[in-house]
Amino acid sequence: MKLSRFNLASLTLGLAFLYLPIVILVIYSFNASRLVTVWGGWSLNWYRELLRDQAMLDAAWMSFRVAATSASAAAVLGTLAAVALSRGGHFKGRTLFSGMLYAPLVMPEVITGLSLLLLFVAINAERGFWTVTIAHTTLTMCFVTVVVQSRLHALDRSIEEAAMDLGCAPVEAFLRATLPLIWPSIAAGWMLAFALSLDDLVIASFTTGPGSATLPIRIYSEVRLGVKPEINAICTLIIAVVTVVIIIASAASKLSKTQAESAAPM
């Protein structure tokens, strides 16, 4: 299909609107000047300054810990939920279960964060690493479920039935026959959950406590007082990490789709 000039111009303007600010941020992270709006030449000074900013590094370490833990929990729970929805048939309460599972996809984050805050206050839970992790698991589990469920629907269930005919119990048949085929989609869901958790600000601001600020919260609190060059540097590093995660997730999702198509009946 040949693009018209109008469509090409619209596409160019749209991509520029989305990505030009990010490109400018990355370029100015190598700016030698302390003034973020004045170009002073190329330099790595602010990356070296970032390595000496212990508060920013602690916030980054907190974010990566929360993201890794919540993504792992979301991968397990989301996979189990996907199996229940795709293999459980029309069990009683299925509509309610799926509705509650997918609610975070459409619910504003401020409502989710506030409701979780009220829950933690009601049970007198000390807010910190674990409350943020639970909140992010609640947010990201539905995304893992969507990814894994789509792969399960594409698989031929006769593979599990053949394994059970050969003497495997239902759980063993799933672990031996189905899990290796959906493993790339689980990995893709984990990476998606990791990226979403690493990026979250709203829910984390409701559920965090003293001494457990995540990197987005730290950046937001400093930006309100003025943009420091170190912020450009840390944002560039986060962009690089998220880009790598998205590329790996896309590759894993494509591999899962290819395996699902090869396993489907002709």
Side-chain angles (χ1 to χ4, degrees), residues 12-40:
T12 303
L13 290 175
L15 293 176
F17 178 79
L18 290 174
Y19 295 107
L20 186 59
I22 297 177
V23 173
I24 293 175
L25 182 146
V26 172
I27 293 175
Y28 271 87
S29 70
F30 299 97
N31 186 14
S33 174
R34 178 168 289 276
L35 300 176
V36 295
T37 58
V38 178
W39 180 254

Side-chain angles (χ1 to χ4, degrees), residues 43-252:
S43 175
L44 295 175
N45 288 339
W46 306 119
Y47 288 91
R48 288 190 285 266
E49 289 292 330
L50 176 63
L51 295 178
R52 291 193 285 266
D53 191 341
Q54 191 59 44
M56 189 72 75
L57 295 178
D58 290 342
W61 175 237
M62 171 65 71
S63 287
F64 279 103
R65 286 168 55 208
V66 169
T69 306
S70 62
S72 299
V76 174
L77 297 176
T79 300
L80 294 176
V83 172
L85 291 174
S86 61
R87 297 290 192 260
H90 296 283
F91 56 88
K92 186 177 181 180
R94 176 188 173 90
T95 302
L96 178 62
F97 175 72
S98 59
M100 294 178 65
L101 182 65
Y102 296 137
L105 286 171
V106 296
M107 187 176 298
E109 289 188 2
V110 65
I111 297 178
T112 303
L114 180 59
S115 62
L116 288 169
L117 172 62
L118 295 176
L119 171 64
F120 294 141
V121 171
I123 63 177
N124 197 26
E126 182 180 357
R127 295 191 296 278
F129 171 80
W130 288 111
T131 54
V132 179
T133 300
I134 293 172
H136 283 184
T137 302
T138 303
L139 171 67
T140 58
M141 184 180 69
C142 53
F143 292 92
V144 178
T145 302
V146 171
V147 173
V148 177
Q149 188 180 5
S150 65
R151 295 296 176 257
L152 283 171
H153 283 315
L155 292 179
D156 185 8
R157 195 170 182 179
S158 63
I159 299 175
E160 290 183 41
E161 295 173 352
M164 287 187 285
D165 289 340
L166 294 174
C168 291
V171 175
E172 185 181 5
F174 174 80
L175 294 176
R176 289 178 175 269
T178 304
L179 186 60
L181 295 176
I182 66 172
W183 181 252
S185 64
I186 297 175
W190 185 93
M191 294 175 189
L192 177 60
F194 181 87
L196 291 171
S197 174
L198 194 65
D199 179 65
D200 177 71
L201 170 65
V202 177
I203 293 179
S205 64
F206 279 98
T207 56
T208 192
S212 58
T214 60
L215 183 60
I217 294 176
R218 182 71 187 182
I219 292 175
Y220 179 72
S221 64
E222 294 199 3
V223 164
R224 289 186 299 173
L225 303 176
V227 179
K228 298 193 304 182
E230 294 93 327
I231 295 178
N232 289 341
I234 189 67
C235 288
T236 300
L237 294 177
I238 294 300
I239 291 171
V241 171
V242 172
T243 300
V244 171
V245 169
I246 292 175
I247 292 174
I248 295 175
S250 299

